Amino acid sequence: MKIIHRTIIALFAMLAISTAALAGDGTHKLVLQISDNDPQKMNTVLNVAANVARHYSGLGEEVDIKIVAFNAGLHMLRPDTSPVKDRMMSFGESMPNVEFHACNNTRTAMQKKSGKDVPLFDFAEVVPAGVVSIMELDADGYTVVRP
């Protein structure tokens, strides 16, 4: 009877472990922060995103990358002021697993200061607050990196 009992417990333990391993979808999650209007830092963020995407693609694994721009880093996502505009245009089209989040708090402040609309690339998703977005993504299991 003890053998049957131990076997049943072992089976339940194995089932629990395998269920836990399958609970996630196996996607690697990365958040990259850009908060400076610095072409070198912007290019570094884009390089990291491309390298990570290429790495996991080469392994046949999924990766979800979000680039969150706030403060002066929002210029990266502005077609009128982006110092990396040409790269952004091709990057947005060629990297479907990379999303760009634009801080609405920063955008609103820029609009108020300039007195005019602040355009963003069409592929940029406006989020209420960039830092809050990073915090929520971190809580959701994303690795946060500020290159």
Side-chain angles (χ1 to χ4, degrees):
M1 187 62 119
K2 287 184 179 181
I3 294 174
I4 294 173
H5 188 253
R6 286 182 187 158
T7 303
I8 291 172
I9 291 173
L11 287 172
F12 277 115
M14 287 173 36
L15 179 63
I17 290 170
S18 63
T19 303
L22 296 175
D25 63 3
T27 300
H28 302 277
K29 300 175 180 180
L30 174 64
V31 171
L32 296 167
Q33 171 189 325
I34 183 70
S35 56
D36 301 304
N37 189 11
D38 179 338
Q40 182 177 355
K41 288 183 181 181
M42 292 175 183
N43 275 306
T44 299
V45 165
L46 294 174
N47 290 343
V48 169
N51 291 339
V52 169
R54 206 171 11 257
H55 172 79
Y56 285 113
S57 177
L59 295 174
E61 297 177 17
E62 296 292 319
V63 64
D64 180 18
I65 302 170
K66 301 194 186 317
I67 297 174
V68 180
F70 64 95
N71 199 359
L74 189 64
H75 287 283
M76 180 180 185
L77 302 181
R78 292 182 56 176
D80 61 333
T81 62
S82 178
V84 292
K85 178 181 178 178
D86 292 339
R87 188 157 183 217
M88 288 297 297
M89 301 277 287
S90 64
F91 202 90
E93 296 169 3
S94 66
M95 301 294 288
N97 57 343
V98 178
E99 295 178 19
F100 294 88
H101 289 187
C103 175
N104 195 51
N105 285 341
T106 300
R107 186 180 191 197
T108 300
M110 287 179 172
Q111 287 172 337
K112 187 175 180 181
K113 185 176 180 180
S114 69
K116 57 184 179 178
D117 186 43
V118 171
L120 298 172
F121 289 111
D122 290 339
F123 50 80
E125 177 186 340
V126 178
V127 296
V131 173
V132 172
S133 179
I134 291 171
M135 292 171 64
E136 290 172 348
L137 290 165
D138 180 49
D140 218 18
Y142 283 75
T143 300
V144 180
V145 176
R146 181 174 188 229

